[in-house]
PDB file of all heavy atoms in Angstrom:
ATOM      1  N   GLU A 319      -9.349  12.097  -0.071  1.00 93.00           N
ATOM      2  CA  GLU A 319      -9.404  13.487  -0.545  1.00 93.00           C
ATOM      3  C   GLU A 319      -8.780  13.589  -1.935  1.00 93.00           C
ATOM      4  O   GLU A 319      -7.995  12.740  -2.336  1.00 93.00           O
ATOM      5  CB  GLU A 319      -8.634  14.409   0.416  1.00 93.00           C
ATOM      6  CG  GLU A 319      -9.225  14.522   1.808  1.00 93.00           C
ATOM      7  CD  GLU A 319     -10.452  15.422   1.882  1.00 93.00           C
ATOM      8  OE1 GLU A 319     -10.822  16.036   0.859  1.00 93.00           O
ATOM      9  OE2 GLU A 319     -11.032  15.512   2.986  1.00 93.00           O
ATOM     10  N   GLN A 354      11.873  -9.607  18.893  1.00 98.00           N
ATOM     11  CA  GLN A 354      10.719 -10.429  18.524  1.00 98.00           C
ATOM     12  C   GLN A 354      11.179 -11.826  18.109  1.00 98.00           C
ATOM     13  O   GLN A 354      10.513 -12.817  18.395  1.00 98.00           O
ATOM     14  CB  GLN A 354       9.981  -9.735  17.384  1.00 98.00           C
ATOM     15  CG  GLN A 354       8.512  -9.483  17.562  1.00 98.00           C
ATOM     16  CD  GLN A 354       7.962  -9.275  18.947  1.00 98.00           C
ATOM     17  OE1 GLN A 354       8.217  -8.246  19.575  1.00 98.00           O
ATOM     18  NE2 GLN A 354       7.193 -10.241  19.427  1.00 98.00           N
ATOM     19  N   ALA A 360      12.241 -18.389  22.178  1.00 97.00           N
ATOM     20  CA  ALA A 360      11.972 -18.847  23.547  1.00 97.00           C
ATOM     21  C   ALA A 360      10.646 -19.595  23.616  1.00 97.00           C
ATOM     22  O   ALA A 360      10.467 -20.502  24.433  1.00 97.00           O
ATOM     23  CB  ALA A 360      11.954 -17.644  24.483  1.00 97.00           C
ATOM     24  N   ALA A 365       5.923 -21.796  16.644  1.00 98.00           N
ATOM     25  CA  ALA A 365       5.397 -20.475  16.951  1.00 98.00           C
ATOM     26  C   ALA A 365       4.501 -20.030  15.795  1.00 98.00           C
ATOM     27  O   ALA A 365       4.594 -20.578  14.696  1.00 98.00           O
ATOM     28  CB  ALA A 365       6.547 -19.483  17.133  1.00 98.00           C
ATOM     29  N   VAL A 379       6.703  -0.560  15.771  1.00 97.00           N
ATOM     30  CA  VAL A 379       7.362   0.547  15.070  1.00 97.00           C
ATOM     31  C   VAL A 379       6.401   1.730  14.917  1.00 97.00           C
ATOM     32  O   VAL A 379       6.745   2.867  15.236  1.00 97.00           O
ATOM     33  CB  VAL A 379       7.897   0.099  13.689  1.00 97.00           C
ATOM     34  CG1 VAL A 379       8.405   1.297  12.889  1.00 97.00           C
ATOM     35  CG2 VAL A 379       9.000  -0.943  13.852  1.00 97.00           C
ATOM     36  N   LEU A 383       6.558   5.487  16.530  1.00 96.00           N
ATOM     37  CA  LEU A 383       6.636   6.627  15.614  1.00 96.00           C
ATOM     38  C   LEU A 383       5.545   7.658  15.916  1.00 96.00           C
ATOM     39  O   LEU A 383       5.784   8.858  15.916  1.00 96.00           O
ATOM     40  CB  LEU A 383       6.500   6.104  14.183  1.00 96.00           C
ATOM     41  CG  LEU A 383       7.094   6.925  13.061  1.00 96.00           C
ATOM     42  CD1 LEU A 383       8.583   7.106  13.239  1.00 96.00           C
ATOM     43  CD2 LEU A 383       6.821   6.239  11.723  1.00 96.00           C
ATOM     44  N   GLU A 417     -15.084   3.719  17.587  1.00 94.00           N
ATOM     45  CA  GLU A 417     -14.104   3.405  18.646  1.00 94.00           C
ATOM     46  C   GLU A 417     -12.728   3.964  18.282  1.00 94.00           C
ATOM     47  O   GLU A 417     -12.039   4.557  19.109  1.00 94.00           O
ATOM     48  CB  GLU A 417     -13.990   1.888  18.845  1.00 94.00           C
ATOM     49  CG  GLU A 417     -15.246   1.214  19.376  1.00 94.00           C
ATOM     50  CD  GLU A 417     -15.375   1.292  20.891  1.00 94.00           C
ATOM     51  OE1 GLU A 417     -14.674   2.116  21.512  1.00 94.00           O
ATOM     52  OE2 GLU A 417     -16.190   0.531  21.442  1.00 94.00           O
ATOM     53  N   ASP A 434       5.249  14.598  23.644  1.00 96.00           N
ATOM     54  CA  ASP A 434       6.467  13.777  23.620  1.00 96.00           C
ATOM     55  C   ASP A 434       7.219  14.068  22.320  1.00 96.00           C
ATOM     56  O   ASP A 434       6.907  15.034  21.630  1.00 96.00           O
ATOM     57  CB  ASP A 434       6.122  12.285  23.776  1.00 96.00           C
ATOM     58  CG  ASP A 434       5.169  11.797  22.695  1.00 96.00           C
ATOM     59  OD1 ASP A 434       5.087  12.451  21.632  1.00 96.00           O
ATOM     60  OD2 ASP A 434       4.496  10.774  22.900  1.00 96.00           O
ATOM     61  N   ASP A 446       1.283  25.584  15.463  1.00 94.00           N
ATOM     62  CA  ASP A 446       1.492  26.906  16.067  1.00 94.00           C
ATOM     63  C   ASP A 446       1.868  27.920  14.997  1.00 94.00           C
ATOM     64  O   ASP A 446       2.893  27.770  14.332  1.00 94.00           O
ATOM     65  CB  ASP A 446       2.630  26.846  17.109  1.00 94.00           C
ATOM     66  CG  ASP A 446       2.118  26.394  18.456  1.00 94.00           C
ATOM     67  OD1 ASP A 446       0.876  26.326  18.609  1.00 94.00           O
ATOM     68  OD2 ASP A 446       2.947  26.109  19.342  1.00 94.00           O
ATOM     69  N   HIS A 485       7.489 -21.406   0.078  1.00 98.00           N
ATOM     70  CA  HIS A 485       6.842 -22.150  -0.998  1.00 98.00           C
ATOM     71  C   HIS A 485       7.703 -22.177  -2.265  1.00 98.00           C
ATOM     72  O   HIS A 485       7.419 -22.930  -3.193  1.00 98.00           O
ATOM     73  CB  HIS A 485       5.474 -21.498  -1.287  1.00 98.00           C
ATOM     74  CG  HIS A 485       4.602 -22.286  -2.203  1.00 98.00           C
ATOM     75  ND1 HIS A 485       4.133 -23.536  -1.875  1.00 98.00           N
ATOM     76  CD2 HIS A 485       4.101 -22.001  -3.438  1.00 98.00           C
ATOM     77  CE1 HIS A 485       3.378 -23.992  -2.876  1.00 98.00           C
ATOM     78  NE2 HIS A 485       3.360 -23.091  -3.835  1.00 98.00           N
ATOM     79  N   SER A 498      22.267  -9.997   0.465  1.00 97.00           N
ATOM     80  CA  SER A 498      22.160  -8.667  -0.149  1.00 97.00           C
ATOM     81  C   SER A 498      21.043  -8.635  -1.196  1.00 97.00           C
ATOM     82  O   SER A 498      20.644  -7.562  -1.658  1.00 97.00           O
ATOM     83  CB  SER A 498      23.483  -8.247  -0.782  1.00 97.00           C
ATOM     84  OG  SER A 498      23.706  -8.963  -1.981  1.00 97.00           O
ATOM     85  N   ILE A 514      -3.204  -5.561  -1.542  1.00 95.00           N
ATOM     86  CA  ILE A 514      -4.453  -4.785  -1.599  1.00 95.00           C
ATOM     87  C   ILE A 514      -5.247  -5.345  -2.780  1.00 95.00           C
ATOM     88  O   ILE A 514      -5.305  -4.767  -3.864  1.00 95.00           O
ATOM     89  CB  ILE A 514      -4.183  -3.265  -1.745  1.00 95.00           C
ATOM     90  CG1 ILE A 514      -3.129  -2.799  -0.736  1.00 95.00           C
ATOM     91  CG2 ILE A 514      -5.470  -2.462  -1.587  1.00 95.00           C
ATOM     92  CD1 ILE A 514      -3.517  -2.902   0.721  1.00 95.00           C
ATOM     93  N   THR A 522     -15.225   8.578 -11.426  1.00 97.00           N
ATOM     94  CA  THR A 522     -14.871   9.525 -12.495  1.00 97.00           C
ATOM     95  C   THR A 522     -15.613  10.847 -12.301  1.00 97.00           C
ATOM     96  O   THR A 522     -16.792  10.868 -11.956  1.00 97.00           O
ATOM     97  CB  THR A 522     -15.228   8.971 -13.891  1.00 97.00           C
ATOM     98  OG1 THR A 522     -16.610   8.588 -13.892  1.00 97.00           O
ATOM     99  CG2 THR A 522     -14.378   7.762 -14.230  1.00 97.00           C
ATOM    100  N   HIS A 568       6.769  -2.090  -9.986  1.00 98.00           N
ATOM    101  CA  HIS A 568       5.481  -2.621  -9.498  1.00 98.00           C
ATOM    102  C   HIS A 568       4.666  -1.486  -8.883  1.00 98.00           C
ATOM    103  O   HIS A 568       5.215  -0.447  -8.490  1.00 98.00           O
ATOM    104  CB  HIS A 568       5.714  -3.721  -8.459  1.00 98.00           C
ATOM    105  CG  HIS A 568       6.249  -3.211  -7.151  1.00 98.00           C
ATOM    106  ND1 HIS A 568       5.466  -2.553  -6.230  1.00 98.00           N
ATOM    107  CD2 HIS A 568       7.495  -3.221  -6.626  1.00 98.00           C
ATOM    108  CE1 HIS A 568       6.205  -2.202  -5.195  1.00 98.00           C
ATOM    109  NE2 HIS A 568       7.452  -2.594  -5.415  1.00 98.00           N
ATOM    110  N   VAL A 575      -0.348  10.639  -6.812  1.00 97.00           N
ATOM    111  CA  VAL A 575      -0.140  11.407  -5.580  1.00 97.00           C
ATOM    112  C   VAL A 575      -0.575  10.657  -4.321  1.00 97.00           C
ATOM    113  O   VAL A 575      -0.168  11.011  -3.219  1.00 97.00           O
ATOM    114  CB  VAL A 575      -0.873  12.771  -5.620  1.00 97.00           C
ATOM    115  CG1 VAL A 575      -0.269  13.684  -6.677  1.00 97.00           C
ATOM    116  CG2 VAL A 575      -2.375  12.599  -5.839  1.00 97.00           C
ATOM    117  N   CYS A 578       1.596   5.201  -1.489  1.00 97.00           N
ATOM    118  CA  CYS A 578       1.815   4.982  -0.051  1.00 97.00           C
ATOM    119  C   CYS A 578       2.860   5.927   0.553  1.00 97.00           C
ATOM    120  O   CYS A 578       4.016   5.947   0.131  1.00 97.00           O
ATOM    121  CB  CYS A 578       2.247   3.537   0.174  1.00 97.00           C
ATOM    122  SG  CYS A 578       2.534   3.171   1.917  1.00 97.00           S
ATOM    123  N   LEU A 579       2.421   6.676   1.552  1.00 97.00           N
ATOM    124  CA  LEU A 579       3.304   7.621   2.248  1.00 97.00           C
ATOM    125  C   LEU A 579       4.363   6.882   3.067  1.00 97.00           C
ATOM    126  O   LEU A 579       5.477   7.349   3.224  1.00 97.00           O
ATOM    127  CB  LEU A 579       2.441   8.503   3.158  1.00 97.00           C
ATOM    128  CG  LEU A 579       3.137   9.501   4.062  1.00 97.00           C
ATOM    129  CD1 LEU A 579       3.711  10.655   3.243  1.00 97.00           C
ATOM    130  CD2 LEU A 579       2.171  10.035   5.110  1.00 97.00           C
ATOM    131  N   ARG A 598      18.225 -16.000  11.692  1.00 98.00           N
ATOM    132  CA  ARG A 598      18.005 -16.551  13.034  1.00 98.00           C
ATOM    133  C   ARG A 598      17.492 -17.983  12.938  1.00 98.00           C
ATOM    134  O   ARG A 598      17.851 -18.836  13.756  1.00 98.00           O
ATOM    135  CB  ARG A 598      17.012 -15.655  13.791  1.00 98.00           C
ATOM    136  CG  ARG A 598      16.715 -16.070  15.231  1.00 98.00           C
ATOM    137  CD  ARG A 598      17.941 -15.896  16.111  1.00 98.00           C
ATOM    138  NE  ARG A 598      17.694 -16.315  17.483  1.00 98.00           N
ATOM    139  CZ  ARG A 598      17.665 -17.566  17.899  1.00 98.00           C
ATOM    140  NH1 ARG A 598      17.829 -18.549  17.026  1.00 98.00           N
ATOM    141  NH2 ARG A 598      17.454 -17.847  19.169  1.00 98.00           N
TER     142      ARG A 598
END
Side-chain angles (χ1 to χ4, degrees):
Chain A
E319 295 283 356
Q354 233 29 70
V379 172
L383 205 60
E417 295 277 16
D434 58 21
D446 275 350
H485 190 63
S498 74
I514 312 295
T522 54
H568 71 75
V575 294
C578 180
L579 176 72
R598 182 67 181 78

